[in-house]
Amino acid sequence: MTDIFENRDYKGSNHFFFDFPGLGVGPYAEVLGGLHHVAISVEPEKWAMIKSRLEEAGVDYQSESGTSIYFRDPNGARLELIADPLGEMYGNKVL
């Protein structure tokens, strides 16, 4: 389930809340500007090209499982590029 509502601290911007039933993450605690990371699915060939460009530009990144690259954008937000087709993760269908 996803809830979207306007931020109280910055008019015109939104909060996105994702509910994962049964995950047991504990009670909600309100914080200002919390984000773990944003994952972006790209084709394997494009993933390899982007990885090379990050290396050429001297961007620090962390590679995991041979299909994910984690790095920070210029504002410090953590991004993940994953070389799995949209709707799949590590060869498994994601519902």
Side-chain angles (χ1 to χ4, degrees), residues 5-63:
F5 62 87
E6 187 173 65
N7 289 331
R8 293 186 301 266
D9 52 350
Y10 188 67
K11 190 161 183 64
S13 66
N14 293 321
H15 274 109
F16 293 83
F17 290 92
F18 300 92
D19 181 28
F20 300 99
L23 191 57
V25 295
Y28 169 75
E30 186 169 337
V31 296
L32 180 61
L35 169 70
H36 184 268
H37 77 281
V38 174
I40 302 167
S41 175
V42 296
E43 295 294 326
E45 297 79 24
K46 189 165 190 159
W47 182 89
M49 183 268 302
I50 294 169
K51 181 179 178 190
S52 293
R53 292 190 67 189
L54 290 172
E55 291 168 355
E56 290 168 9
V59 174
D60 289 330
Y61 67 86
Q62 178 180 346
S63 183

Side-chain angles (χ1 to χ4, degrees), residues 50-82:
I50 294 169
K51 181 179 178 190
S52 293
R53 292 190 67 189
L54 290 172
E55 291 168 355
E56 290 168 9
V59 174
D60 289 330
Y61 67 86
Q62 178 180 346
S63 183
E64 292 292 332
S65 304
T67 59
S68 290
I69 300 171
Y70 295 89
F71 60 99
R72 296 203 180 268
D73 76 4
N75 293 314
R78 190 172 190 212
L79 303 175
E80 174 189 7
L81 295 180
I82 186 164

